Each structure stands twice: as structure tokens, then as C-alpha cells.
Amino acid sequence: MIRQKRNREDPVVRRAQILDEALRIIGEQGFHGFTIQQLSARCGMSNAGLLHYFASKDVLLAAVLAEIEARQVQIIAPLVAEVEARIAAGNASLADVRSFFRAIIARTAEEHALGPFLLVVQAESIDSGHPAHVYFQGAEDAAIALYARLLAGYCADTHVLARSIHAMMIGLAQQWYRSGTRLDVLAIWD
């Protein structure tokens, strides 16, 4: 009997494919709504094959969140660095801070798979028993602290304004996705 040599995909590429598909399926069905079987079928692999990469749904969710954070840092970090450098140099304006917030809204409008995932999992993670509860609490706290830092000197209570801006961003994203992305979120934000 001649054994046929199996053509295996590069593990790094396969892992990235699984994460991308997990992002989509969780955005559609929620963390508790999807199964490993559904994800493995969408990825064209067996359950055991998928579990080789991610030992459980919780491990998979943590990996998706880490991947999203890495992608966000690549895009958002330079924007933060730019506005913070202008603030440190003493030549920042409120227009610079507004531009920063607008760029974040634009980013939301560019990522069609990311938004539903984040909105669905954020909502689910209100439950303190959800595996992403601590992650989203930390992300929210970090965003509000950053916004407050950027708004220092432009209003009396930066934390209240920062929290309000954060809530408006999430609310606009929800409305945009609920409308089938028909709303002009940038025009509304402006």
C-alpha cells in the first residue's frame, strides 16, 4: 500500500485562518451560540484538528481577543503617539483630539467583521462569569483613561466626558451595524 503524502498548511497560516473564521462566527452567533463543530466545519477541518490549535472555546476566545488587540495596537498606537506628542510639546489643539476620536470612528466603519464580534461579545461579557468579562472591563477602563488624558485641559471633568465619548462610540457602532451599515457614522460623529 502506497501512502499518499498529506499536504499540510503552514501552522501559522492555518491558525490565522481559524482566528479569522472564529471572529466571523462569534460575531454572527455569539460566544455561547457557536460550537467547535460549526467552526471546524467552516474551517474545513476536524474537531480534533481545530482543538490541536486551540484546546477549548475559552482558549480560542482569548486568542481572538489577543489578535484583535494586536491589530488595534498597530493602527491606533501611532494615532495615540501622534496626539500625545503634540500634547507633550504644548502645541496640541482640541481639533487634534477631535481628529483622533474621528479616526477611531472611521476605523470602526472599515472593519466589517470586527465590529459585530466586539459588540456581541461586549454585550455577552456584561455577565461576570463570561470568559471575556475581565478583558472588556480592562479595555473599557484603559480607553476611558486614555480619552480623559487626551481631554485634559479642554473641560472641567475629563472622566465624565471621556466616559460619554466612549458610550457614544459604542452606541454609534451598534446603530451602524443594526442599520446594515447604512448610516453615515462619520457624518453623525462630526
Side-chain angles (χ1 to χ4, degrees):
M1 174 185 228
I2 298 174
R3 293 189 104 175
Q4 204 172 11
K5 188 176 181 182
R6 235 177 136 181
N7 188 9
R8 293 183 184 243
E9 287 193 52
D10 179 308
V12 173
V13 171
R14 190 58 153 158
R15 185 179 191 282
Q17 291 169 339
I18 294 167
L19 290 175
D20 285 342
E21 194 57 46
L23 184 109
R24 281 189 285 282
I25 197 170
I26 295 170
E28 294 164 7
Q29 300 179 21
F31 175 74
H32 295 300
F34 91 99
T35 65
I36 290 294
Q37 292 80 10
Q38 289 171 313
L39 180 58
S40 62
R42 280 198 188 186
C43 293
M45 59 192 313
S46 68
N47 293 345
L50 192 137
L51 291 170
H52 170 74
Y53 289 92
F54 304 99
S56 68
K57 280 178 70 171
D58 287 4
V59 170
L60 174 67
L61 180 61
V64 172
L65 291 170
E67 177 64 24
I68 288 169
E69 192 166 332
R71 290 179 191 177
Q72 296 284 54
V73 165
Q74 284 182 327
I75 293 164
I76 301 294
L79 300 173
V80 171
E82 181 181 333
V83 74
E84 285 185 328
R86 292 184 66 107
I87 290 169
N91 60 1
S93 68
L94 185 55
D96 294 324
V97 177
R98 285 182 177 156
S99 256
F100 168 78
F101 290 127
R102 189 178 199 282
I104 292 175
I105 295 296
R107 171 85 174 123
T108 300
E110 292 167 1
E111 285 288 334
H112 292 277
L114 181 60
F117 171 89
L118 289 174
L119 291 171
V120 166
V121 179
Q122 267 180 339
E124 289 178 336
S125 72
I126 289 171
D127 173 12
S128 62
H130 191 280
H133 178 80
V134 171
Y135 173 87
F136 280 105
Q137 184 64 60
E140 181 177 280
D141 292 345
I144 291 168
L146 169 64
Y147 301 166
R149 207 169 55 245
L150 298 180
L151 292 164
Y154 297 112
C155 66
D157 194 338
T158 58
H159 278 76
V160 169
L161 182 55
R163 189 170 294 284
S164 298
I165 287 171
H166 185 69
M168 286 190 303
M169 288 178 169
I170 291 171
L172 265 178
Q174 288 172 345
Q175 292 173 30
W176 188 62
Y177 284 105
R178 196 173 290 118
S179 77
T181 67
R182 291 185 305 272
L183 291 177
D184 185 346
V185 290
L186 286 175
I188 293 167
W189 182 260
D190 291 340

